Amino acid sequence: MSTPSQKVTSAEVALRAGVSRSAVSRVFTPGASASKETTRKVRAAAEELGYRPNVLARAMVSGKSRIIGLVVAYLNNQFYPEILEKLSNALRERGYHVLVFITTRTEGNIDTVVDEILDYQVDGIIAASVAMSSDLSARCEAAGVPVVLFNRTQDGDALSDVTTDNYGGGKMVAEFLLAAGHRKIGYIAGWEGASTQRDREAGFVEALEAARVSLHAREIGNFVMEEAKAAALRMFSNDPPDAVFVANDHMAIAVMDTLRHDLMLCVPGDVSVVSYDDVAAASWPAYDLTTVRQPSNQMVRETIDLLLGKIDNPNKPKRRIQIKGR
């Protein structure tokens, strides 16, 4: 028996369980095969002895850490905590763990963060709503670490990405508002460096122009609630629109509160509000917000399949997946 100052070894667990050391290794290796009886005996022996497998040591031997780095720009938008939970759960089911890194939207900051992620010897990276420079993606590829963009795209084909059809979603919103008879229509944009913002607005404006309706008003909210509130106050200070498309739910909630409580307007009686994402709060009775749903379960599934496929086969071609929202 080991003394309290010594770490219990897999050999001691094997001896207690009456199995081989390789059987102990299989029980504690994600994806490896071991019978139910062997697993029961090994786990019982490990619990009695206080044994914990050394994941880092196993990673050094196998060359695989079974860790995925997840980079997110912010978590105050309800869309991302939900995505983080879904990604973590789905990766755990596939035998992987997640390290989360918070960054800002600027490329210089993410360069520093990704350097830190690579130091952890991760097997892959998911970048959620952050942009990556071509130099940075090349460094990751040179290190043998595949990257998948989630809810963002970038020009060129250096990286795989998974998004909804943001252009099509913006077009659907315009057609929806036009069908309701609106002609004085405003738009509150997100951060203009984001592909999601660019594509949603492009589809929206093109559908308006196809109906020979020009955008009545435009302001920028930068995907920030406080800035969205200020944008709404500016937009409705003079010749206000009778409908507004807000680039995501996070901002739309602030816009609705501003319209109702600061400007004493009725939504949708005085002004219609439509947005994008379908976060949990969108269905709360206080908001009952019309929004384009991002099919998050499918987006997560496609992202993980792309990343793990690239980990298993580095020669797999890059893919760009767009999923239709509704």
Side-chain angles (χ1 to χ4, degrees), residues 226-308:
E226 293 78 8
E227 294 187 40
K229 176 177 180 176
L233 290 172
R234 291 192 301 269
M235 179 175 287
F236 285 82
S237 64
N238 181 44
D239 191 18
D242 58 24
V244 59
F245 175 32
V246 187
N248 75 356
D249 293 351
H250 184 63
M251 294 193 299
I253 287 169
V255 169
M256 288 183 72
D257 283 342
T258 302
L259 294 175
R260 288 169 166 172
H261 303 295
D262 292 76
L263 301 176
M264 299 303 184
L265 295 173
C266 178
V267 180
D270 296 318
V271 56
S272 295
V273 178
V274 182
S275 64
Y276 208 104
D277 280 345
D278 194 24
V279 301
S283 64
W284 293 354
Y287 297 103
D288 198 20
L289 177 61
T290 299
T291 181
V292 178
R293 174 175 294 172
Q294 296 221 64
S296 56
N297 288 332
Q298 187 178 356
M299 292 174 72
V300 165
R301 185 167 60 250
E302 296 283 6
T303 299
I304 291 175
D305 286 347
L306 277 180
L307 186 65
L308 300 192

Side-chain angles (χ1 to χ4, degrees), residues 14-293:
L15 182 64
R16 172 66 67 91
V19 300
S20 65
R21 288 185 65 181
S22 62
V24 175
S25 177
R26 288 196 302 275
V27 168
F28 289 105
T29 300
S33 176
S35 70
K36 289 184 178 180
E37 179 60 18
T38 297
T39 299
R40 184 193 66 76
K41 290 193 294 185
V42 168
R43 291 200 175 276
E47 185 174 350
E48 291 171 10
L49 296 172
Y51 170 76
R52 300 295 300 171
N54 190 330
V55 175
L56 295 178
R58 183 193 302 148
M60 292 178 66
V61 172
S62 67
K64 297 291 184 182
S65 67
R66 310 293 295 187
I67 294 173
I68 302 299
L70 174 59
V71 189
V72 292
Y74 45 82
L75 291 176
N76 55 345
N77 179 348
Q78 289 183 34
F79 184 65
Y80 289 104
E82 177 185 338
I83 290 302
L84 175 58
E85 180 181 1
K86 289 180 176 180
L87 281 169
S88 297
N89 290 339
L91 284 165
R92 188 166 61 246
E93 289 174 1
R94 304 280 287 267
Y96 285 84
H97 298 282
V98 172
L99 278 180
V100 179
F101 295 81
I102 308 295
T103 182
T104 63
R105 293 173 296 207
T106 59
E107 289 185 358
N109 184 275
I110 191 177
D111 282 17
T112 303
V113 169
V114 171
D115 281 339
E116 183 180 352
I117 293 174
L118 293 176
D119 289 342
Y120 280 89
Q121 303 295 311
V122 298
D123 291 343
I125 296 172
I126 297 171
S129 289
V130 290
M132 293 185 70
S133 66
S134 56
D135 288 346
L136 183 58
S137 58
R139 288 214 310 274
C140 292
E141 187 162 351
V145 179
V147 179
V148 175
L149 300 180
F150 181 92
N151 203 33
R152 283 290 186 274
T153 63
Q154 66 177 37
D155 296 333
D157 58 356
L159 296 175
S160 294
D161 58 62
V162 177
T163 65
T164 51
D165 178 5
N166 289 288
Y167 177 89
K171 186 177 179 183
M172 281 194 295
V173 171
E175 291 170 346
F176 174 78
L177 291 174
L178 290 168
H182 294 291
R183 292 299 180 268
K184 293 176 67 175
I185 302 173
Y187 178 69
I188 296 181
W191 177 55
E192 293 184 293
S195 62
T196 49
Q197 147 56 32
R198 176 196 66 203
D199 294 345
R200 289 169 194 176
E201 182 173 7
F204 182 65
V205 171
E206 184 165 312
L208 291 180
E209 291 175 347
R212 299 187 177 181
V213 174
S214 59
L215 189 64
H216 181 72
R218 182 185 189 274
E219 294 288 347
I220 301 173
N222 277 321
F223 294 139
V224 176
M225 295 188 86
E226 293 78 8
E227 294 187 40
K229 176 177 180 176
L233 290 172
R234 291 192 301 269
M235 179 175 287
F236 285 82
S237 64
N238 181 44
D239 191 18
D242 58 24
V244 59
F245 175 32
V246 187
N248 75 356
D249 293 351
H250 184 63
M251 294 193 299
I253 287 169
V255 169
M256 288 183 72
D257 283 342
T258 302
L259 294 175
R260 288 169 166 172
H261 303 295
D262 292 76
L263 301 176
M264 299 303 184
L265 295 173
C266 178
V267 180
D270 296 318
V271 56
S272 295
V273 178
V274 182
S275 64
Y276 208 104
D277 280 345
D278 194 24
V279 301
S283 64
W284 293 354
Y287 297 103
D288 198 20
L289 177 61
T290 299
T291 181
V292 178
R293 174 175 294 172

